PDB file of all heavy atoms in Angstrom:
ATOM      1  N   ALA J  72     -38.749  56.247-132.398  1.00  0.00           N
ATOM      2  CA  ALA J  72     -39.241  55.349-131.345  1.00  0.00           C
ATOM      3  C   ALA J  72     -38.331  55.428-130.118  1.00  0.00           C
ATOM      4  O   ALA J  72     -37.126  55.646-130.259  1.00  0.00           O
ATOM      5  CB  ALA J  72     -39.288  53.923-131.873  1.00  0.00           C
ATOM      6  N   PRO J  73     -38.922  55.247-128.908  1.00  0.00           N
ATOM      7  CA  PRO J  73     -38.139  55.372-127.672  1.00  0.00           C
ATOM      8  C   PRO J  73     -36.848  54.550-127.690  1.00  0.00           C
ATOM      9  O   PRO J  73     -35.789  55.057-127.331  1.00  0.00           O
ATOM     10  CB  PRO J  73     -39.086  54.855-126.596  1.00  0.00           C
ATOM     11  CG  PRO J  73     -40.441  54.954-127.173  1.00  0.00           C
ATOM     12  CD  PRO J  73     -40.324  54.918-128.661  1.00  0.00           C
ATOM     13  N   GLN J  74     -36.950  53.292-128.130  1.00  0.00           N
ATOM     14  CA  GLN J  74     -35.770  52.418-128.061  1.00  0.00           C
ATOM     15  C   GLN J  74     -34.675  52.827-129.047  1.00  0.00           C
ATOM     16  O   GLN J  74     -33.529  52.427-128.910  1.00  0.00           O
ATOM     17  CB  GLN J  74     -36.159  50.946-128.225  1.00  0.00           C
ATOM     18  CG  GLN J  74     -36.845  50.579-129.532  1.00  0.00           C
ATOM     19  CD  GLN J  74     -38.361  50.847-129.502  1.00  0.00           C
ATOM     20  OE1 GLN J  74     -38.856  51.582-128.654  1.00  0.00           O
ATOM     21  NE2 GLN J  74     -39.099  50.270-130.431  1.00  0.00           N
ATOM     22  N   LYS J  75     -35.034  53.669-130.000  1.00  0.00           N
ATOM     23  CA  LYS J  75     -34.034  54.124-130.978  1.00  0.00           C
ATOM     24  C   LYS J  75     -33.406  55.465-130.585  1.00  0.00           C
ATOM     25  O   LYS J  75     -32.586  56.008-131.311  1.00  0.00           O
ATOM     26  CB  LYS J  75     -34.688  54.252-132.361  1.00  0.00           C
ATOM     27  CG  LYS J  75     -35.180  52.913-132.901  1.00  0.00           C
ATOM     28  CD  LYS J  75     -34.902  52.783-134.389  1.00  0.00           C
ATOM     29  CE  LYS J  75     -35.124  51.365-134.854  1.00  0.00           C
ATOM     30  NZ  LYS J  75     -36.291  51.243-135.745  1.00  0.00           N
ATOM     31  N   ARG J  76     -33.828  56.032-129.428  1.00  0.00           N
ATOM     32  CA  ARG J  76     -33.273  57.335-129.040  1.00  0.00           C
ATOM     33  C   ARG J  76     -31.988  57.185-128.242  1.00  0.00           C
ATOM     34  O   ARG J  76     -31.318  58.171-127.947  1.00  0.00           O
ATOM     35  CB  ARG J  76     -34.306  58.119-128.227  1.00  0.00           C
ATOM     36  CG  ARG J  76     -35.539  58.458-129.034  1.00  0.00           C
ATOM     37  CD  ARG J  76     -36.472  59.410-128.330  1.00  0.00           C
ATOM     38  NE  ARG J  76     -37.693  59.547-129.129  1.00  0.00           N
ATOM     39  CZ  ARG J  76     -38.614  60.482-128.966  1.00  0.00           C
ATOM     40  NH1 ARG J  76     -38.484  61.369-128.006  1.00  0.00           N
ATOM     41  NH2 ARG J  76     -39.674  60.524-129.737  1.00  0.00           N
ATOM     42  N   ASP J  77     -31.682  55.966-127.837  1.00  0.00           N
ATOM     43  CA  ASP J  77     -30.473  55.680-127.069  1.00  0.00           C
ATOM     44  C   ASP J  77     -30.399  56.507-125.786  1.00  0.00           C
ATOM     45  O   ASP J  77     -29.390  57.123-125.477  1.00  0.00           O
ATOM     46  CB  ASP J  77     -29.225  55.906-127.939  1.00  0.00           C
ATOM     47  CG  ASP J  77     -27.998  55.240-127.319  1.00  0.00           C
ATOM     48  OD1 ASP J  77     -28.184  54.396-126.413  1.00  0.00           O
ATOM     49  OD2 ASP J  77     -26.875  55.580-127.706  1.00  0.00           O
ATOM     50  N   LEU J  78     -31.510  56.520-125.053  1.00  0.00           N
ATOM     51  CA  LEU J  78     -31.562  57.208-123.770  1.00  0.00           C
ATOM     52  C   LEU J  78     -31.907  56.178-122.705  1.00  0.00           C
ATOM     53  O   LEU J  78     -32.594  55.210-122.992  1.00  0.00           O
ATOM     54  CB  LEU J  78     -32.649  58.284-123.785  1.00  0.00           C
ATOM     55  CG  LEU J  78     -32.561  59.326-124.901  1.00  0.00           C
ATOM     56  CD1 LEU J  78     -33.837  60.151-124.969  1.00  0.00           C
ATOM     57  CD2 LEU J  78     -31.355  60.220-124.698  1.00  0.00           C
ATOM     58  N   SER J  79     -31.429  56.375-121.496  1.00  0.00           N
ATOM     59  CA  SER J  79     -31.741  55.465-120.391  1.00  0.00           C
ATOM     60  C   SER J  79     -32.596  56.212-119.385  1.00  0.00           C
ATOM     61  O   SER J  79     -32.255  57.319-119.000  1.00  0.00           O
ATOM     62  CB  SER J  79     -30.445  55.060-119.704  1.00  0.00           C
ATOM     63  OG  SER J  79     -30.281  53.701-119.741  1.00  0.00           O
ATOM     64  N   MET J  80     -33.687  55.584-119.000  1.00  0.00           N
ATOM     65  CA  MET J  80     -34.587  56.279-118.082  1.00  0.00           C
ATOM     66  C   MET J  80     -34.691  55.532-116.754  1.00  0.00           C
ATOM     67  O   MET J  80     -34.854  54.320-116.733  1.00  0.00           O
ATOM     68  CB  MET J  80     -35.958  56.382-118.746  1.00  0.00           C
ATOM     69  CG  MET J  80     -36.957  57.137-117.941  1.00  0.00           C
ATOM     70  SD  MET J  80     -37.775  58.416-118.911  1.00  0.00           S
ATOM     71  CE  MET J  80     -38.886  59.091-117.685  1.00  0.00           C
ATOM     72  N   TYR J  88     -37.535  43.097-113.678  1.00  0.00           N
ATOM     73  CA  TYR J  88     -38.145  41.816-114.069  1.00  0.00           C
ATOM     74  C   TYR J  88     -38.122  40.896-112.857  1.00  0.00           C
ATOM     75  O   TYR J  88     -37.054  40.551-112.362  1.00  0.00           O
ATOM     76  CB  TYR J  88     -37.371  41.198-115.229  1.00  0.00           C
ATOM     77  CG  TYR J  88     -37.341  42.080-116.449  1.00  0.00           C
ATOM     78  CD1 TYR J  88     -36.196  42.797-116.787  1.00  0.00           C
ATOM     79  CD2 TYR J  88     -38.463  42.194-117.274  1.00  0.00           C
ATOM     80  CE1 TYR J  88     -36.174  43.616-117.914  1.00  0.00           C
ATOM     81  CE2 TYR J  88     -38.445  43.011-118.389  1.00  0.00           C
ATOM     82  CZ  TYR J  88     -37.298  43.716-118.710  1.00  0.00           C
ATOM     83  OH  TYR J  88     -37.278  44.528-119.813  1.00  0.00           O
ATOM     84  N   ASN J  96     -31.099  41.254-114.348  1.00  0.00           N
ATOM     85  CA  ASN J  96     -31.833  42.497-114.573  1.00  0.00           C
ATOM     86  C   ASN J  96     -30.908  43.567-115.138  1.00  0.00           C
ATOM     87  O   ASN J  96     -31.249  44.260-116.091  1.00  0.00           O
ATOM     88  CB  ASN J  96     -32.454  43.002-113.262  1.00  0.00           C
ATOM     89  CG  ASN J  96     -33.921  42.644-113.134  1.00  0.00           C
ATOM     90  OD1 ASN J  96     -34.771  43.234-113.792  1.00  0.00           O
ATOM     91  ND2 ASN J  96     -34.202  41.639-112.311  1.00  0.00           N
ATOM     92  N   MET J  97     -29.734  43.677-114.513  1.00  0.00           N
ATOM     93  CA  MET J  97     -28.798  44.720-114.946  1.00  0.00           C
ATOM     94  C   MET J  97     -28.216  44.410-116.323  1.00  0.00           C
ATOM     95  O   MET J  97     -27.906  45.309-117.095  1.00  0.00           O
ATOM     96  CB  MET J  97     -27.684  44.909-113.903  1.00  0.00           C
ATOM     97  CG  MET J  97     -28.201  45.616-112.650  1.00  0.00           C
ATOM     98  SD  MET J  97     -27.042  45.644-111.275  1.00  0.00           S
ATOM     99  CE  MET J  97     -25.759  46.702-111.883  1.00  0.00           C
ATOM    100  N   ALA J  98     -28.067  43.112-116.608  1.00  0.00           N
ATOM    101  CA  ALA J  98     -27.455  42.714-117.884  1.00  0.00           C
ATOM    102  C   ALA J  98     -28.452  42.732-119.042  1.00  0.00           C
ATOM    103  O   ALA J  98     -28.064  42.738-120.209  1.00  0.00           O
ATOM    104  CB  ALA J  98     -26.855  41.308-117.742  1.00  0.00           C
ATOM    105  N   PHE J  99     -29.746  42.760-118.713  1.00  0.00           N
ATOM    106  CA  PHE J  99     -30.796  42.531-119.711  1.00  0.00           C
ATOM    107  C   PHE J  99     -30.683  43.399-120.962  1.00  0.00           C
ATOM    108  O   PHE J  99     -30.655  42.910-122.097  1.00  0.00           O
ATOM    109  CB  PHE J  99     -32.178  42.739-119.065  1.00  0.00           C
ATOM    110  CG  PHE J  99     -33.310  42.334-119.954  1.00  0.00           C
ATOM    111  CD1 PHE J  99     -33.704  41.012-120.042  1.00  0.00           C
ATOM    112  CD2 PHE J  99     -33.971  43.271-120.734  1.00  0.00           C
ATOM    113  CE1 PHE J  99     -34.734  40.624-120.872  1.00  0.00           C
ATOM    114  CE2 PHE J  99     -35.000  42.899-121.582  1.00  0.00           C
ATOM    115  CZ  PHE J  99     -35.381  41.571-121.647  1.00  0.00           C
ATOM    116  N   SER J 100     -30.569  44.707-120.740  1.00  0.00           N
ATOM    117  CA  SER J 100     -30.577  45.617-121.897  1.00  0.00           C
ATOM    118  C   SER J 100     -29.338  45.411-122.771  1.00  0.00           C
ATOM    119  O   SER J 100     -29.363  45.697-123.967  1.00  0.00           O
ATOM    120  CB  SER J 100     -30.655  47.063-121.425  1.00  0.00           C
ATOM    121  OG  SER J 100     -29.473  47.390-120.735  1.00  0.00           O
ATOM    122  N   LEU J 101     -28.258  44.908-122.182  1.00  0.00           N
ATOM    123  CA  LEU J 101     -27.030  44.658-122.963  1.00  0.00           C
ATOM    124  C   LEU J 101     -27.174  43.361-123.753  1.00  0.00           C
ATOM    125  O   LEU J 101     -26.743  43.257-124.896  1.00  0.00           O
ATOM    126  CB  LEU J 101     -25.818  44.576-122.034  1.00  0.00           C
ATOM    127  CG  LEU J 101     -25.527  45.845-121.217  1.00  0.00           C
ATOM    128  CD1 LEU J 101     -24.344  45.627-120.286  1.00  0.00           C
ATOM    129  CD2 LEU J 101     -25.266  47.028-122.134  1.00  0.00           C
ATOM    130  N   ARG J 102     -27.809  42.338-123.113  1.00  0.00           N
ATOM    131  CA  ARG J 102     -28.033  41.058-123.798  1.00  0.00           C
ATOM    132  C   ARG J 102     -28.826  41.261-125.079  1.00  0.00           C
ATOM    133  O   ARG J 102     -28.451  40.737-126.127  1.00  0.00           O
ATOM    134  CB  ARG J 102     -28.816  40.106-122.881  1.00  0.00           C
ATOM    135  CG  ARG J 102     -27.966  39.544-121.792  1.00  0.00           C
ATOM    136  CD  ARG J 102     -28.040  38.024-121.701  1.00  0.00           C
ATOM    137  NE  ARG J 102     -26.992  37.619-120.788  1.00  0.00           N
ATOM    138  CZ  ARG J 102     -27.200  37.340-119.504  1.00  0.00           C
ATOM    139  NH1 ARG J 102     -28.422  37.330-119.019  1.00  0.00           N
ATOM    140  NH2 ARG J 102     -26.200  37.020-118.732  1.00  0.00           N
ATOM    141  N   VAL J 103     -29.932  42.037-124.963  1.00  0.00           N
ATOM    142  CA  VAL J 103     -30.771  42.207-126.152  1.00  0.00           C
ATOM    143  C   VAL J 103     -30.043  42.994-127.234  1.00  0.00           C
ATOM    144  O   VAL J 103     -30.430  42.979-128.394  1.00  0.00           O
ATOM    145  CB  VAL J 103     -32.137  42.883-125.843  1.00  0.00           C
ATOM    146  CG1 VAL J 103     -32.958  42.032-124.897  1.00  0.00           C
ATOM    147  CG2 VAL J 103     -31.944  44.282-125.265  1.00  0.00           C
ATOM    148  N   ARG J 104     -28.984  43.682-126.839  1.00  0.00           N
ATOM    149  CA  ARG J 104     -28.179  44.401-127.839  1.00  0.00           C
ATOM    150  C   ARG J 104     -26.983  43.578-128.309  1.00  0.00           C
ATOM    151  O   ARG J 104     -26.094  44.091-128.996  1.00  0.00           O
ATOM    152  CB  ARG J 104     -27.673  45.708-127.255  1.00  0.00           C
ATOM    153  CG  ARG J 104     -28.711  46.792-127.253  1.00  0.00           C
ATOM    154  CD  ARG J 104     -28.188  48.083-126.652  1.00  0.00           C
ATOM    155  NE  ARG J 104     -29.221  49.100-126.647  1.00  0.00           N
ATOM    156  CZ  ARG J 104     -30.273  49.099-125.828  1.00  0.00           C
ATOM    157  NH1 ARG J 104     -30.423  48.137-124.935  1.00  0.00           N
ATOM    158  NH2 ARG J 104     -31.188  50.038-125.907  1.00  0.00           N
ATOM    159  N   ASN J 105     -26.930  42.317-127.886  1.00  0.00           N
ATOM    160  CA  ASN J 105     -25.849  41.401-128.293  1.00  0.00           C
ATOM    161  C   ASN J 105     -24.457  41.882-127.914  1.00  0.00           C
ATOM    162  O   ASN J 105     -23.506  41.695-128.665  1.00  0.00           O
ATOM    163  CB  ASN J 105     -25.898  41.148-129.804  1.00  0.00           C
ATOM    164  CG  ASN J 105     -27.148  40.375-130.177  1.00  0.00           C
ATOM    165  OD1 ASN J 105     -27.545  39.441-129.458  1.00  0.00           O
ATOM    166  ND2 ASN J 105     -27.783  40.776-131.261  1.00  0.00           N
ATOM    167  N   VAL J 106     -24.348  42.527-126.748  1.00  0.00           N
ATOM    168  CA  VAL J 106     -23.017  42.915-126.251  1.00  0.00           C
ATOM    169  C   VAL J 106     -22.304  41.645-125.785  1.00  0.00           C
ATOM    170  O   VAL J 106     -22.945  40.704-125.288  1.00  0.00           O
ATOM    171  CB  VAL J 106     -23.166  43.922-125.080  1.00  0.00           C
ATOM    172  CG1 VAL J 106     -21.808  44.291-124.504  1.00  0.00           C
ATOM    173  CG2 VAL J 106     -23.908  45.166-125.545  1.00  0.00           C
ATOM    174  N   MET J 107     -20.982  41.579-125.953  1.00  0.00           N
ATOM    175  CA  MET J 107     -20.225  40.367-125.582  1.00  0.00           C
ATOM    176  C   MET J 107     -20.310  40.081-124.089  1.00  0.00           C
ATOM    177  O   MET J 107     -20.325  40.993-123.280  1.00  0.00           O
ATOM    178  CB  MET J 107     -18.761  40.523-125.971  1.00  0.00           C
ATOM    179  CG  MET J 107     -18.553  40.378-127.464  1.00  0.00           C
ATOM    180  SD  MET J 107     -16.972  39.694-127.925  1.00  0.00           S
ATOM    181  CE  MET J 107     -15.868  40.213-126.671  1.00  0.00           C
ATOM    182  N   LYS J 108     -20.328  38.769-123.770  1.00  0.00           N
ATOM    183  CA  LYS J 108     -20.514  38.344-122.374  1.00  0.00           C
ATOM    184  C   LYS J 108     -19.488  38.948-121.419  1.00  0.00           C
ATOM    185  O   LYS J 108     -19.828  39.373-120.323  1.00  0.00           O
ATOM    186  CB  LYS J 108     -20.433  36.815-122.302  1.00  0.00           C
ATOM    187  CG  LYS J 108     -21.799  36.174-122.227  1.00  0.00           C
ATOM    188  CD  LYS J 108     -21.681  34.784-121.611  1.00  0.00           C
ATOM    189  CE  LYS J 108     -23.076  34.262-121.289  1.00  0.00           C
ATOM    190  NZ  LYS J 108     -23.249  32.859-121.593  1.00  0.00           N
ATOM    191  N   GLU J 110     -17.818  41.677-121.721  1.00  0.00           N
ATOM    192  CA  GLU J 110     -18.073  43.119-121.596  1.00  0.00           C
ATOM    193  C   GLU J 110     -19.268  43.364-120.660  1.00  0.00           C
ATOM    194  O   GLU J 110     -19.223  44.238-119.795  1.00  0.00           O
ATOM    195  CB  GLU J 110     -18.333  43.715-122.993  1.00  0.00           C
ATOM    196  CG  GLU J 110     -18.688  45.188-123.022  1.00  0.00           C
ATOM    197  CD  GLU J 110     -17.569  46.112-122.536  1.00  0.00           C
ATOM    198  OE1 GLU J 110     -16.397  45.663-122.539  1.00  0.00           O
ATOM    199  OE2 GLU J 110     -17.882  47.255-122.136  1.00  0.00           O
ATOM    200  N   ILE J 111     -20.323  42.533-120.832  1.00  0.00           N
ATOM    201  CA  ILE J 111     -21.497  42.638-119.955  1.00  0.00           C
ATOM    202  C   ILE J 111     -21.078  42.440-118.510  1.00  0.00           C
ATOM    203  O   ILE J 111     -21.408  43.226-117.623  1.00  0.00           O
ATOM    204  CB  ILE J 111     -22.576  41.588-120.331  1.00  0.00           C
ATOM    205  CG1 ILE J 111     -23.168  41.891-121.706  1.00  0.00           C
ATOM    206  CG2 ILE J 111     -23.681  41.557-119.275  1.00  0.00           C
ATOM    207  CD1 ILE J 111     -24.210  40.891-122.181  1.00  0.00           C
ATOM    208  N   ARG J 114     -19.186  45.439-117.071  1.00  0.00           N
ATOM    209  CA  ARG J 114     -20.026  46.623-116.808  1.00  0.00           C
ATOM    210  C   ARG J 114     -20.963  46.397-115.623  1.00  0.00           C
ATOM    211  O   ARG J 114     -21.157  47.289-114.794  1.00  0.00           O
ATOM    212  CB  ARG J 114     -20.861  46.954-118.040  1.00  0.00           C
ATOM    213  CG  ARG J 114     -20.020  47.518-119.177  1.00  0.00           C
ATOM    214  CD  ARG J 114     -20.915  48.322-120.099  1.00  0.00           C
ATOM    215  NE  ARG J 114     -20.449  48.304-121.455  1.00  0.00           N
ATOM    216  CZ  ARG J 114     -21.191  48.714-122.502  1.00  0.00           C
ATOM    217  NH1 ARG J 114     -22.431  49.132-122.310  1.00  0.00           N
ATOM    218  NH2 ARG J 114     -20.717  48.702-123.715  1.00  0.00           N
ATOM    219  N   SER J 147     -29.170  49.274-113.827  1.00  0.00           N
ATOM    220  CA  SER J 147     -29.581  48.838-115.164  1.00  0.00           C
ATOM    221  C   SER J 147     -29.419  49.979-116.159  1.00  0.00           C
ATOM    222  O   SER J 147     -29.109  49.753-117.330  1.00  0.00           O
ATOM    223  CB  SER J 147     -31.053  48.404-115.159  1.00  0.00           C
ATOM    224  OG  SER J 147     -31.248  47.456-114.147  1.00  0.00           O
ATOM    225  N   ALA J 148     -29.623  51.198-115.686  1.00  0.00           N
ATOM    226  CA  ALA J 148     -29.474  52.353-116.577  1.00  0.00           C
ATOM    227  C   ALA J 148     -28.003  52.665-116.839  1.00  0.00           C
ATOM    228  O   ALA J 148     -27.620  52.979-117.960  1.00  0.00           O
ATOM    229  CB  ALA J 148     -30.172  53.565-115.970  1.00  0.00           C
ATOM    230  N   VAL J 150     -25.309  50.685-116.849  1.00  0.00           N
ATOM    231  CA  VAL J 150     -24.553  49.738-117.677  1.00  0.00           C
ATOM    232  C   VAL J 150     -24.770  49.980-119.173  1.00  0.00           C
ATOM    233  O   VAL J 150     -23.925  49.637-119.984  1.00  0.00           O
ATOM    234  CB  VAL J 150     -24.916  48.259-117.378  1.00  0.00           C
ATOM    235  CG1 VAL J 150     -24.524  47.885-115.960  1.00  0.00           C
ATOM    236  CG2 VAL J 150     -26.390  47.998-117.611  1.00  0.00           C
ATOM    237  N   ARG J 151     -25.883  50.621-119.514  1.00  0.00           N
ATOM    238  CA  ARG J 151     -26.192  50.833-120.926  1.00  0.00           C
ATOM    239  C   ARG J 151     -25.247  51.803-121.617  1.00  0.00           C
ATOM    240  O   ARG J 151     -25.076  51.755-122.815  1.00  0.00           O
ATOM    241  CB  ARG J 151     -27.629  51.363-121.067  1.00  0.00           C
ATOM    242  CG  ARG J 151     -28.679  50.339-120.782  1.00  0.00           C
ATOM    243  CD  ARG J 151     -29.600  50.125-121.963  1.00  0.00           C
ATOM    244  NE  ARG J 151     -29.558  51.194-122.949  1.00  0.00           N
ATOM    245  CZ  ARG J 151     -30.540  52.050-123.154  1.00  0.00           C
ATOM    246  NH1 ARG J 151     -31.620  51.986-122.420  1.00  0.00           N
ATOM    247  NH2 ARG J 151     -30.436  52.966-124.087  1.00  0.00           N
ATOM    248  N   GLU J 152     -24.680  52.739-120.875  1.00  0.00           N
ATOM    249  CA  GLU J 152     -23.858  53.802-121.443  1.00  0.00           C
ATOM    250  C   GLU J 152     -24.558  54.459-122.633  1.00  0.00           C
ATOM    251  O   GLU J 152     -24.050  54.469-123.749  1.00  0.00           O
ATOM    252  CB  GLU J 152     -22.468  53.266-121.831  1.00  0.00           C
ATOM    253  CG  GLU J 152     -21.739  52.681-120.636  1.00  0.00           C
ATOM    254  CD  GLU J 152     -20.361  52.115-120.967  1.00  0.00           C
ATOM    255  OE1 GLU J 152     -19.913  52.274-122.118  1.00  0.00           O
ATOM    256  OE2 GLU J 152     -19.758  51.527-120.067  1.00  0.00           O
ATOM    257  N   PRO J 153     -25.733  55.016-122.371  1.00  0.00           N
ATOM    258  CA  PRO J 153     -26.521  55.625-123.443  1.00  0.00           C
ATOM    259  C   PRO J 153     -26.029  57.038-123.747  1.00  0.00           C
ATOM    260  O   PRO J 153     -25.075  57.506-123.135  1.00  0.00           O
ATOM    261  CB  PRO J 153     -27.909  55.694-122.836  1.00  0.00           C
ATOM    262  CG  PRO J 153     -27.627  55.936-121.387  1.00  0.00           C
ATOM    263  CD  PRO J 153     -26.355  55.205-121.068  1.00  0.00           C
ATOM    264  N   LYS J 154     -26.727  57.705-124.652  1.00  0.00           N
ATOM    265  CA  LYS J 154     -26.376  59.094-124.981  1.00  0.00           C
ATOM    266  C   LYS J 154     -26.658  60.024-123.822  1.00  0.00           C
ATOM    267  O   LYS J 154     -25.929  60.961-123.567  1.00  0.00           O
ATOM    268  CB  LYS J 154     -27.191  59.555-126.197  1.00  0.00           C
ATOM    269  CG  LYS J 154     -26.638  59.058-127.509  1.00  0.00           C
ATOM    270  CD  LYS J 154     -27.222  59.835-128.655  1.00  0.00           C
ATOM    271  CE  LYS J 154     -26.369  59.642-129.883  1.00  0.00           C
ATOM    272  NZ  LYS J 154     -27.103  59.938-131.111  1.00  0.00           N
TER     273      LYS J 154
END
Side-chain angles (χ1 to χ4, degrees):
Q74 60 276 17
K75 296 220 168 112
R76 296 189 186 194
D77 197 15
L78 305 169
S79 239
M80 183 129 179
Y88 300 104
N96 261 286
M97 287 171 68
F99 188 83
S100 66
L101 299 177
R102 285 232 170 99
V103 298
R104 281 179 181 73
N105 293 319
V106 177
M107 285 211 329
K108 259 203 169 140
E110 177 64 20
I111 293 178
R114 289 203 210 167
S147 307
V150 296
R151 288 239 342 250
E152 301 179 6
K154 281 196 162 159

